[in-house]
Amino acid sequence: MVACAYWTLQGLAASSEAHSVRGVTWSHALLTDGFANVLWVPITVAVLNLGLRFPIEKRHWRSRVALHVGGALAVSFFRATVIYSLDPYLGWYSTPPTYLSVLEHALLYNPFIYLLMLGLAHGLYFAEQLRLKDTQLARAQLHVLKSQLHPHFLFNTLNSISALVHKDPRGSERMIARLSDLLRGTLDSAAREEVPLRDELRTLQLYLDIQGVRFTDRLQVKHEIDQDTLGAHVPYLLLQPLVENAIQHGIAPRSAPGTVTVAARRAGPELVLEVRDDGVGLRAGTASKTAGGGKGLWITRERLVQLYGPAHKLELKGREEGGAQVSLTIPFRTESVA
């Protein structure tokens, strides 16, 4: 469509010039100059496809240069043959030309246009290659972040189980069973970047069951989940590190029972997720976070950047009534990112 529009406008401009400068009639100008330009439309499509399929790259530059030199010659011969054949009917020349004179003119003019179209094809080709490279790099970075998240989660859970082996053998057995379920679910979802929120909550519950054994009656978990958000897609294992931070840095440092609240609601085109705790708050937990306890939050932030770019928000703040709160906003979608 772009080639058709460009060469049609170019043909109209050439026809207008022929009418005003050479004094030919509009009909003759459109038949000759207009047709000569429109004839470039199928050639342009063919040259662009040829350039995109066989770009001149370092590995094959000799064969590709030879191919496109042959292409430029073929275009020149094609246009010379068409114009020579149709000249008796359309009248490009005032006196009948020889084929060699038409071909000579074509060889002096058409290869430069071929070269311009080939340059355009290479611009499109290398722009697409750069886009693919950026996409592959972003996916590789995301994969690295996911691979960091899983060991981080696993080691913390194993530490929790280790602490209970002698004090509560039955409890540690239940934790190992829940961990087995959790790892099985992790393997099943390893290839997916996003899952529906209901699946994420199901995975989170396995983790909370493990922590429930460890903290017994010291940990209470509340859910404030709007039903219309359960189908929204979220990054896999998004909530687990946030809840883990709330438990490790908010609830665990104190002896009194604590509550962690997981909330989800829709706000127009966005999904708002919150993890709140009524623990010791940010000031008391700052030291542990800066010493490495905030790695889960850092990985979560990096994953959101990779998946959503500027279309996300993540905020960690202290609560006036005590404790801390992580709020994040991502696009509300019921389908995964491409």
Side-chain angles (χ1 to χ4, degrees), residues 53-112:
R53 186 171 181 181
F54 302 104
I56 299 175
E57 294 178 305
K58 188 176 181 180
R59 290 182 302 171
H60 312 291
W61 73 270
R62 290 185 177 85
S63 60
R64 298 294 170 82
V65 167
L67 173 68
H68 290 297
V69 168
L73 292 175
V75 168
S76 300
F77 274 97
F78 172 73
R79 283 184 57 85
T81 302
V82 171
I83 289 176
Y84 177 78
S85 301
L86 295 180
D87 182 64
Y89 307 100
L90 302 183
W92 276 286
Y93 298 92
S94 56
T95 57
T98 63
Y99 180 75
L100 287 178
S101 64
V102 176
L103 179 60
E104 180 182 3
H105 180 266
L107 289 172
L108 290 174
Y109 178 69
N110 293 339
F112 293 101

Side-chain angles (χ1 to χ4, degrees), residues 252-289:
R254 69 179 192 179
S255 56
T259 301
V260 174
T261 302
V262 181
R265 68 177 186 278
R266 181 172 185 173
E270 296 178 330
L271 174 66
V272 180
L273 298 169
E274 292 178 352
V275 175
R276 305 190 293 267
D277 69 77
D278 57 358
V280 297
L282 287 182
R283 182 171 299 175
T286 300
S288 62
K289 286 188 173 72

Side-chain angles (χ1 to χ4, degrees), residues 7-322:
W7 285 114
T8 299
L9 291 174
Q10 181 70 18
L12 290 174
S15 300
S16 176
E17 182 183 12
H19 173 70
S20 60
V21 175
R22 302 204 305 267
V24 299
T25 63
W26 267 108
S27 60
H28 182 74
L30 289 172
L31 280 175
T32 53
D33 293 86
F35 179 80
N37 279 278
V38 172
L39 187 59
W40 278 108
V41 174
I43 298 173
T44 299
V45 174
V47 172
L48 288 178
N49 286 328
L50 193 67
L52 290 171
R53 186 171 181 181
F54 302 104
I56 299 175
E57 294 178 305
K58 188 176 181 180
R59 290 182 302 171
H60 312 291
W61 73 270
R62 290 185 177 85
S63 60
R64 298 294 170 82
V65 167
L67 173 68
H68 290 297
V69 168
L73 292 175
V75 168
S76 300
F77 274 97
F78 172 73
R79 283 184 57 85
T81 302
V82 171
I83 289 176
Y84 177 78
S85 301
L86 295 180
D87 182 64
Y89 307 100
L90 302 183
W92 276 286
Y93 298 92
S94 56
T95 57
T98 63
Y99 180 75
L100 287 178
S101 64
V102 176
L103 179 60
E104 180 182 3
H105 180 266
L107 289 172
L108 290 174
Y109 178 69
N110 293 339
F112 293 101
I113 298 182
Y114 183 98
L115 189 61
L116 289 175
M117 292 187 290
L118 189 62
L120 175 61
H122 277 70
L124 296 172
Y125 173 79
F126 287 115
E128 178 64 11
Q129 291 300 308
L130 185 61
R131 188 190 68 80
L132 291 175
K133 186 177 180 180
D134 288 344
T135 301
Q136 291 170 351
L137 178 60
R139 289 185 180 279
Q141 291 173 336
L142 193 59
H143 178 73
V144 170
L145 291 171
K146 285 182 66 180
S147 64
Q148 289 177 332
L149 177 62
H150 295 168
H152 170 255
F153 153 74
L154 182 59
F155 293 149
N156 284 350
T157 305
L158 288 175
N159 285 335
S160 299
I161 294 174
S162 176
L164 279 184
V165 166
H166 298 294
K167 292 190 299 185
D168 184 2
R170 292 185 180 275
S172 60
E173 288 180 2
R174 291 199 298 274
M175 290 179 71
I176 292 173
R178 292 293 183 273
L179 180 60
S180 174
D181 294 339
L182 192 55
L183 291 178
R184 188 179 299 110
T186 300
L187 291 175
D188 291 341
S189 303
R192 293 190 292 172
E193 298 295 351
E194 291 184 316
V195 295
L197 179 59
R198 64 171 59 88
D199 293 348
E200 177 68 6
L201 292 172
R202 192 175 298 121
T203 302
L204 177 64
Q205 188 58 48
L206 292 172
Y207 172 77
L208 290 172
D209 290 343
I210 294 172
Q211 296 301 324
V213 176
R214 177 188 173 193
F215 287 90
T216 58
D217 56 351
R218 287 181 53 209
L219 174 64
Q220 181 180 8
V221 179
K222 292 182 178 179
H223 292 87
E224 298 176 358
I225 310 295
D226 289 349
Q227 289 298 307
D228 61 346
T229 63
L230 292 176
H233 279 237
V234 301
Y236 179 58
L237 284 183
L238 172 70
L239 293 174
Q240 182 274 326
L242 304 181
V243 172
E244 181 178 354
N245 270 357
I247 295 174
Q248 297 293 333
H249 306 300
I251 306 301
R254 69 179 192 179
S255 56
T259 301
V260 174
T261 302
V262 181
R265 68 177 186 278
R266 181 172 185 173
E270 296 178 330
L271 174 66
V272 180
L273 298 169
E274 292 178 352
V275 175
R276 305 190 293 267
D277 69 77
D278 57 358
V280 297
L282 287 182
R283 182 171 299 175
T286 300
S288 62
K289 286 188 173 72
T290 55
K295 186 175 181 179
L297 189 63
W298 174 80
I299 291 176
T300 299
R301 192 187 302 276
E302 292 299 312
R303 291 182 70 199
L304 293 176
V305 170
Q306 293 294 334
L307 281 170
Y308 307 112
H312 83 278
K313 297 176 186 175
L314 190 153
E315 182 184 20
L316 170 64
K317 63 180 182 182
R319 303 174 65 203
E320 293 182 358
E321 57 271 46

